[in-house]
Amino acid sequence: MAVTDEAIEKIKGMIVSGALRPGDRLPKESELAAELGLSRNSLREAVRALSLIRILDVRQGDGTYVTSLDPQLLLEALSFVVDFHRDDTVLEFLAVRRILEPAATAAAATRISEDQLDALARQLDELGDDPSVEDLVAADLEFHRGIVSGSGNSVLCSLLDGLSGPTTRARIWRGLTQEDAVGRTLREHRAILAALRDRDAEAARSWATVHIASVEQWLRSTL
Amino acid sequence: MAVTDEAIEKIKGMIVSGALRPGDRLPKESELAAELGLSRNSLREAVRALSLIRILDVRQGDGTYVTSLDPQLLLEALSFVVDFHRDDTVLEFLAVRRILEPAATAAAATRISEDQLDALARQLDELGDDPSVEDLVAADLEFHRGIVSGSGNSVLCSLLDGLSGPTTRARIWRGLTQEDAVGRTLREHRAILAALRDRDAEAARSWATVHIASVEQWLRSTL
DNA sequence: CACGGCTCAGACGTCCGATGTATCCCGCCA
DNA sequence: TGGCGGGATACATCGGACGTCTGAGCCGTG
């Protein structure tokens, strides 16, 4: 195994074992390199790789730190990976989302707070009845993010966030300027919100399913 | 933005735009470095980072290639990330698995082939009635992997594979400490298999839920 | 002609040392 | 007391040199 890969494993080991805790500062590059028995250049490759997936946070002029390791942070890397997938696998990603999102919405029905519901309602009102496609897409992302965060599961939240990534969503919506897609989306959002207000998990789940299925159906007919 | 990060973005761009296709070979490091306007050292950091998440495949003495970009391959990086999470988030991962696995099992009920079912049955038979805990856990992973792959969704399959990692340790503890966990697991596996044979999606879904919920319940009472 | 070992050019792996640049922190001065 | 330099520190980047591995073609042998 290459020394760089060894270094990656060793740093990972230090974190997993607890020798390095979230927020901790690593020894400076030259020291750590000596400690792990490799050159600074090779060590930097290891650090750079770990920083791409948000394990480490390097700050020029300051030092290198272990990130918070929050699920949210770490799963951000997922969206980077998702970006590489072409249209032929978008349907599979959407299928996964179709499983997760209704479940998350149902969970939110019993756990989301009134404040969060108010915030969602306010957001929908501010959007108006005839928003631009760009605004709608942004609002759509925000709306679902808000609901899923109400499920209280940060892993689920980050996962869905990654799956619904900007690329996928943008690509889908770009062509979806079709007939009444905007109005339909808005109505479905309001229906989901109403179900959450009623604390009706099954209704919320169903509306979420309908919401995603309509996108899926459209996408399937288009590809 | 640092030159290395620029390089990462540029390489990513070349792949996403289709200028580089899966399996393609990149220009040699010195050439690519010159092309992107940075030093070979810095370029190597970018390449190393992309290779950690399985976007690129570097072969010493040969060259650097774009991987197949299969969802399975790319989501392998997920398990690397998941490894960093401590026990306090295991429950959240398990909750996500509890959503996905029953859905995947239900989907498999209608799509899995007879050959795949035979393979699963054979695997269960080979395990015997009183396996070691390690064997059981390995077989458990394999069993679920086999079923999920029967769902026909490779993204779902890889995702569950990644998520199952952290709960593996939990399963080992359980097997070691809980009375009859081995027998119970075996019985549940056979029940799931029977439901799949019957092409009974709802029964399969329910058994999968029961199967995971029992682990979750035990884990919750222990932590 | 087919096969296998050998040689060699090419490409990645690793290291060194030097210089640039951003941050932090402390002491100086008003 | 508070704002302002100016090191000291640590990461950023570079260029070059040398080691190591791989793939492919050459060449002798059966």
Side-chain angles (χ1 to χ4, degrees):
Chain A
M1 186 190 286
V3 292
T4 302
D5 294 312
E6 279 181 43
I8 291 177
E9 288 302 318
K10 284 179 183 173
I11 296 174
K12 176 181 176 180
M14 285 191 281
I15 295 175
V16 172
S17 74
L20 285 175
R21 306 175 60 72
D24 277 2
R25 178 179 178 161
L26 274 68
K28 65 180 178 189
E29 289 182 346
S30 56
E31 281 181 17
L32 188 56
E35 201 173 309
L36 299 182
L38 39 61
S39 75
R40 199 180 143 227
N41 258 332
S42 300
L43 173 67
R44 276 183 58 78
E45 289 183 19
V47 170
R48 171 70 67 175
L50 289 173
S51 113
L52 178 68
I53 57 176
R54 306 287 207 279
I55 301 296
L56 297 180
D57 178 25
V58 292
R59 306 176 201 161
Q60 180 179 171
D62 184 358
T64 303
Y65 299 80
V66 179
T67 66
S68 64
L69 298 181
D70 277 341
Q72 180 191 354
L73 198 63
L74 297 196
L75 290 176
E76 260 180 38
L78 182 65
S79 72
F80 188 92
V81 165
V82 171
D83 283 343
F84 282 90
H85 285 92
R86 330 292 259 101
D87 298 332
D88 54 342
T89 50
V90 165
L91 275 177
E92 294 196 359
F93 279 102
L94 198 56
V96 173
R97 203 178 147 224
R98 182 177 168 172
I99 296 170
L100 287 178
E101 187 108 23
T105 307
T110 62
R111 304 195 48 168
I112 198 169
S113 70
E114 292 294 333
D115 286 348
Q116 285 175 296
L117 286 174
D118 290 341
L120 287 174
R122 205 174 319 121
Q123 185 219 320
L124 275 182
D125 289 339
E126 283 172 3
L127 194 60
D129 288 333
D130 190 24
S132 71
V133 174
E134 288 74 20
D135 287 345
L136 179 66
V137 170
D140 191 42
L141 263 173
E142 197 54 45
F143 183 75
H144 288 290
R145 198 197 312 269
I147 291 177
V148 177
S149 76
S151 74
N153 186 324
S154 61
V155 170
L156 180 57
C157 188
S158 308
L159 209 52
L160 270 171
D161 227 40
L163 290 178
S164 319
T167 300
T168 303
R169 193 65 68 91
R171 209 179 291 162
I172 292 175
W173 279 106
R174 194 185 314 159
L176 193 55
T177 51
Q178 68 177 52
E179 194 69 22
D180 197 32
V182 174
R184 180 173 181 180
T185 299
L186 289 176
R187 282 194 299 276
E188 288 172 351
H189 279 183
R190 292 202 175 277
I192 292 174
L193 184 57
L196 292 179
R197 283 250 187 244
D198 292 342
R199 304 292 174 184
D200 186 339
E202 281 315 305
R205 182 197 305 276
S206 300
W207 274 112
T209 303
V210 167
H211 186 53
I212 296 178
S214 69
V215 175
E216 187 180 0
Q217 192 177 26
W218 172 84
L219 189 61
R220 198 182 294 278
S221 69
T222 304
L223 289 182
Chain B
M1 188 191 287
V3 292
T4 302
D5 295 311
E6 279 181 43
I8 292 177
E9 288 302 319
K10 284 179 182 171
I11 295 174
K12 176 182 176 180
M14 285 191 281
I15 295 175
V16 172
S17 73
L20 285 175
R21 308 177 57 74
D24 277 2
R25 178 179 179 161
L26 274 68
K28 65 180 177 189
E29 290 182 347
S30 57
E31 281 181 15
L32 187 56
E35 200 173 309
L36 298 181
L38 40 61
S39 74
R40 189 179 154 224
N41 263 330
S42 300
L43 172 68
R44 275 183 58 79
E45 289 182 19
V47 170
R48 171 72 66 175
L50 289 173
S51 114
L52 178 67
I53 57 175
R54 307 287 207 281
I55 301 296
L56 297 180
D57 178 24
V58 292
R59 306 177 202 161
Q60 181 180 170
D62 185 358
T64 302
Y65 300 80
V66 180
T67 67
S68 64
L69 297 182
D70 277 340
Q72 181 191 353
L73 198 62
L74 298 196
L75 290 176
E76 259 181 39
L78 182 66
S79 72
F80 187 92
V81 165
V82 170
D83 283 342
F84 282 92
H85 286 92
R86 326 294 264 100
D87 302 330
D88 54 342
T89 49
V90 165
L91 274 178
E92 295 195 359
F93 279 102
L94 197 56
V96 173
R97 206 179 146 224
R98 182 178 167 171
I99 296 170
L100 287 177
E101 187 107 25
T105 307
T110 62
R111 304 196 47 168
I112 197 169
S113 72
E114 293 295 332
D115 286 347
Q116 286 175 295
L117 286 174
D118 290 341
L120 288 174
R122 206 174 318 121
Q123 187 218 320
L124 276 181
D125 289 339
E126 284 173 2
L127 193 60
D129 288 334
D130 190 23
S132 71
V133 174
E134 288 74 19
D135 286 346
L136 177 67
V137 170
D140 190 42
L141 265 174
E142 197 53 45
F143 183 75
H144 288 289
R145 199 197 312 269
I147 290 178
V148 177
S149 76
S151 75
N153 185 325
S154 59
V155 170
L156 180 57
C157 189
S158 309
L159 209 51
L160 271 172
D161 228 38
L163 292 178
S164 300
T167 59
T168 299
R169 285 170 298 176
R171 262 178 274 177
I172 292 180
W173 302 336
R174 180 173 185 242
L176 290 177
T177 59
Q178 195 186 42
E179 192 67 25
D180 195 36
V182 174
R184 182 172 180 179
T185 298
L186 288 176
R187 283 193 299 276
E188 288 173 353
H189 279 184
R190 293 203 174 277
I192 292 173
L193 184 56
L196 293 179
R197 284 251 187 244
D198 291 342
R199 304 292 175 184
D200 185 338
E202 280 316 305
R205 182 197 305 275
S206 300
W207 274 112
T209 304
V210 166
H211 187 51
I212 295 178
S214 69
V215 175
E216 187 181 359
Q217 191 177 27
W218 171 82
L219 191 60
R220 196 183 297 277
S221 70
T222 304
L223 290 182

